[in-house]
Amino acid sequence: MRAKLLIAAALLPFGAAVGAPAPAFNVDSLFVASIGGPAALDSLKRITAVRSVGEVNLNGLPGRFEQFYLAPDRFYIRVNFGDFNLVQAYDGTTAWKRDQNGQVSTLSGFERRELLSSVYFESFSYLLPGRLDGSDEYLGTVTENGRCLHKVAFYPLNADTILVYFECETGLRTMMRSRLDNIDAETMAGDYRWVAGILLPYHAKTIAAEAGLFVEFQSDTVDLHARVDSNIFAMPSGGAADFRFPPGRSFVEIKFRYHAGHVLVPGLINGRKGVFILDSGASANMFDKSFADELRLPIVGTLPARGMGGFERVELVKTDSISIGELTLFNQVAGSLDLSLLGRGGEGDTMFGGLLGYDFLSRLPVMVNFKDSLLTVFSPDSFLPLPGGHEMPIHLVMLVPAVTGELDGFSGEFIIDLGNALGLIIHRGFAEANRLQQVLHNVQDNAGLFGGIGGSLPGKTAFASTFRMGDIALDSLRVILPDASEGMAGSEEIAGNIGNLILEHFAVLFDYPRSRVIFYDADK
C-alpha cells in the first residue's frame, strides 16, 4: 500500500537515433532518415552488438551506467551509485531486475512492457524486420514552443502508445512521451553524434513531474561493434546472500502485536530497538525519519515513493544490520521518510521504527498467523508448506505481491497488502472501467479519509456480492472506493488492494521465492 519506489521507471533512456528527413516526406522515409539516411540503414543492418557507457543523474544522485544490446532483442543496463547498483535486463524471453540490495525479481505487467518498449527502440525494431513486434501511425505535424514537429505514435509489441516527435526542419527526434501506469513521462534527446555512419543521441533526460522523478543520461562512448558476453542477459538463479538464518534451525518464530489493523513486529536496526509495521505493500524497508535520524544512518540518495494517494520524496539510507527475531539482514539500503501518521505501537524507550516490506518478506517463506499473533520465518533449504491451504500464484508489481481476483464477475489484479489496515480497496481505474458504482450495493460517501504515504483522500464505501481469489469466495463484502487519480488508488493497471480486515481471517504464507501465497483457514 505504501512505498512503491519508482527506481525501475528511472533507468531507461530511449535509444532511437535520428537525423535529417528525406526530401519527399513519408513516415517510412522519415524513419530511415532519422538514423542518417539509406547508408546508415545499411550500416545498422550489420550491427549485432552495442555498448554504451556514461554518466547518470537520478534525482540529484550521480552515478555511472553501462548498457548493452545484442541482436535481435537482448538488453542489459547497470547503474552504479557507489553504495548500490541497479540492473534491468531482457534475455529475449524474461524481463528481470536486480534491486538496490542485490535481490533479483522478474518484471511483469506494465513494468515489463516499459522495459520492452525501450528494447523496441534500442533494437530499431520499427526499421528492421525479425525483431520485436510493433506498429506505428503518423499523426501529422504539431507546433510546440514555436517548433514544427512531426508526431508519430509507436505501439511497441502492439500494446502501449509512445508518442515520438521529430523536428520538421532538421528531422531530429527531440522528444518522446510515454505513460507508466498512471504516470506520464517525457524524455528529451540531444547531443547527436555520428557513430560508424549512424546518428545517435548521446544525451537523454526523462521527467515524470507528478512523481517527482528526474533522470539524465550522458554517454561518454558508444561502441556499435562491441564484444558482449551473452551470459549477462540471463536472469541469475538467486539474489545476494544478505541474511543469516540460525544454523541447524528450520524455522524461527516472532510474536507480534496486532493493533489498529497493523501487524507490529519488534526489531533491531544497528542494535537499536524499534517496532515495525509488517507491510507487503512496501517495495522496500522504510524507516521513520525520526528513527533514522537518531541512528544517524548515512543518506545515499533520494527517490520518489508511490503511496495510496500520491507520491512522497524518500531518502535512501544505509544500515549495517536489520534483525527480526533470530534472522538478520546485512548491509541494507532502505528508505527514510516521515511516517509519523503511521507511528503507532512504540512503547517506552522503544521507538516506532517504520515498515518492513519486500526486503524482509522476499528472502524467506514467511507465515503470518493472525489468530496466534505469531510470525514464522522458514529456512528455504528445508521448507515444505503445510497441506490443506488455498494456494495461488503471485507476481510482483513494483516488488509488491499481486494475485488475480474477481469482484462481482469483473477480473483484475489485486495486491496483497499487510500494510493496509482496512479491507478491500478498489482502485479508481478498475471501478470506472467496470462502472462499479452501478454494480455495487449501498454506495455511500465516506465521512473519514483513507490514505498513507502520499497523503489522505476521500472516497466511498459499498458492498460487493462476491469477491473471489483462487478457490476462496467472500460474500457480501464491504469495499472502499477512494477518489484519486494519482498514487496507487489511481492505478490503471492494478484493480485493487487486499488488506488486513480480509487477511486476518486466515494464516497467510508468503513464499516469494516460489512465487506463491497460501491461505490457511484460521480455525484449522
Side-chain angles (χ1 to χ4, degrees):
M1 176 178 176
R2 311 201 192 293
K4 317 299 184 292
L5 293 180
L6 297 177
I7 293 172
L11 291 183
L12 303 173
F14 294 98
V18 294
F25 172 78
N26 62 59
V27 69
D28 292 328
S29 63
L30 175 63
F31 296 160
V32 173
S34 71
I35 61 170
L41 180 60
D42 290 339
S43 298
L44 183 64
K45 291 176 180 178
R46 294 190 293 272
I47 293 171
T48 59
V50 180
R51 176 178 179 263
S52 303
V53 180
E55 297 180 351
V56 61
N57 186 303
L58 177 59
N59 277 38
L61 179 64
R64 296 283 299 175
F65 79 89
E66 187 174 27
Q67 178 178 299
F68 296 93
Y69 165 73
L70 185 65
D73 56 10
R74 282 174 284 181
F75 179 82
Y76 177 97
I77 180 170
R78 178 176 60 87
V79 180
N80 175 264
F81 291 111
D83 290 287
F84 60 93
N85 295 310
L86 302 171
V87 174
Q88 289 189 332
Y90 180 66
D91 66 1
T93 302
T94 301
W96 58 274
K97 69 179 176 182
R98 180 182 287 120
D99 67 20
Q100 68 273 14
N101 287 311
Q103 298 305 301
V104 177
S105 61
T106 302
L107 293 173
S108 62
F110 64 86
E111 292 180 282
R112 184 179 192 273
R113 298 199 309 272
E114 179 72 8
L115 177 59
L116 292 185
S117 292
S118 289
V119 180
Y120 179 82
F121 288 102
E122 291 289 343
S123 64
F124 295 95
S125 292
Y126 55 95
L127 273 171
L128 302 176
R131 301 195 174 183
L132 290 178
D133 289 337
S135 56
D136 56 75
E137 180 183 6
Y138 181 67
L139 302 179
T141 59
V142 296
T143 301
E144 291 198 19
N145 300 320
R147 294 183 303 167
C148 173
L149 302 170
H150 293 291
K151 182 178 180 181
V152 181
F154 286 92
Y155 309 104
L157 283 70
N158 297 311
D160 296 339
T161 303
I162 296 179
L163 299 177
V164 182
Y165 297 83
F166 302 83
E167 285 190 347
C168 294
E169 183 177 351
T170 65
L172 295 176
R173 176 183 61 78
T174 62
M175 180 170 56
M176 303 179 75
R177 287 174 176 160
S178 60
R179 189 168 179 85
L180 178 65
D181 194 8
N182 59 334
I183 304 166
D184 292 317
E186 184 173 274
T187 298
M188 308 298 293
D191 187 14
Y192 292 94
R193 306 181 192 181
W194 289 98
V195 182
I198 305 171
L199 262 178
L200 296 173
Y202 268 53
H203 179 265
K205 178 172 65 177
T206 299
I207 298 173
E210 58 197 316
L213 178 69
F214 169 89
V215 61
E216 188 171 18
F217 289 85
Q218 178 65 56
S219 296
D220 297 334
T221 60
V222 178
D223 182 1
L224 297 186
H225 298 282
R227 289 190 175 185
V228 178
D229 181 359
S230 61
N231 292 322
I232 67 171
F233 304 101
M235 180 174 172
S237 58
D242 58 358
F243 64 87
R244 182 181 65 204
F245 199 84
R249 299 279 298 280
S250 61
F251 66 90
V252 296
E253 296 180 336
I254 303 106
K255 290 292 290 186
F256 64 80
R257 185 160 63 95
Y258 188 46
H259 174 71
H262 283 127
V263 175
L264 301 171
V265 180
L268 297 172
I269 307 298
N270 291 359
R272 175 72 161 89
K273 289 182 179 180
V275 173
F276 299 85
I277 294 174
L278 190 63
D279 187 358
S280 57
S283 62
N285 292 333
M286 192 71 57
F287 301 146
D288 181 57
K289 182 168 175 52
S290 296
F291 187 75
D293 287 348
E294 180 169 305
L295 289 175
R296 298 182 180 178
L297 298 179
I299 299 171
V300 297
T302 303
L303 284 174
R306 187 185 193 187
M308 180 56 68
F311 297 88
E312 292 284 353
R313 210 168 185 79
V314 173
E315 292 177 337
L316 299 179
V317 296
K318 192 76 177 287
T319 68
D320 294 325
S321 65
I322 301 175
S323 296
I324 304 95
E326 298 175 88
L327 173 68
T328 301
L329 304 177
F330 297 101
N331 299 319
Q332 296 289 296
V333 175
S336 170
L337 77 166
D338 182 4
L339 297 172
S340 57
L341 291 177
L342 307 175
R344 59 198 73 176
E347 295 179 345
D349 63 348
T350 303
M351 295 180 64
F352 172 64
L355 311 175
L356 294 177
Y358 170 84
D359 296 322
F360 168 57
L361 289 164
S362 64
R363 275 29 176 201
L364 306 153
V366 177
M367 174 81 82
V368 184
N369 188 325
F370 288 86
K371 181 180 179 182
D372 297 333
S373 296
L374 188 66
L375 192 69
T376 306
V377 183
F378 298 92
S379 170
D381 297 331
S382 57
F383 174 69
L384 289 173
L386 293 172
H390 307 272
E391 181 176 329
M392 56 195 77
I394 60 172
H395 64 272
L396 298 180
V397 179
M398 300 191 79
L399 303 182
V400 173
V403 297
T404 300
E406 186 179 283
L407 181 75
D408 282 354
F410 298 102
S411 180
E413 298 300 304
F414 295 80
I415 64 175
I416 302 176
D417 191 354
L418 289 167
N420 170 6
L422 304 172
L424 183 61
I425 298 175
I426 306 302
H427 295 167
R428 181 172 178 173
F430 183 73
E432 291 181 347
N434 298 298
R435 301 181 180 179
L436 290 186
Q437 290 202 36
Q438 285 123 35
V439 175
L440 301 174
H441 310 295
N442 196 23
V443 179
Q444 296 182 2
D445 289 326
N446 183 63
L449 294 174
F450 314 115
I453 289 177
S456 299
L457 56 152
K460 301 179 184 296
T461 61
F463 281 86
S465 297
T466 305
F467 175 67
R468 297 179 181 274
M469 51 180 178
D471 57 1
I472 297 174
L474 305 173
D475 298 327
S476 190
L477 182 68
R478 182 175 182 265
V479 300
I480 297 166
L481 303 165
D483 184 15
S485 58
E486 298 181 354
M488 282 301 296
S491 173
E492 298 169 1
E493 299 275 347
I494 303 301
N497 181 309
I498 303 166
N500 286 340
L501 291 183
I502 293 175
L503 302 178
E504 67 183 12
H505 297 289
F506 304 89
V508 185
L509 175 72
F510 292 87
D511 189 0
Y512 287 60
R514 295 168 181 82
S515 301
R516 64 183 174 181
V517 63
I518 304 177
F519 288 81
Y520 295 91
D521 294 336
D523 296 328
K524 294 183 180 180

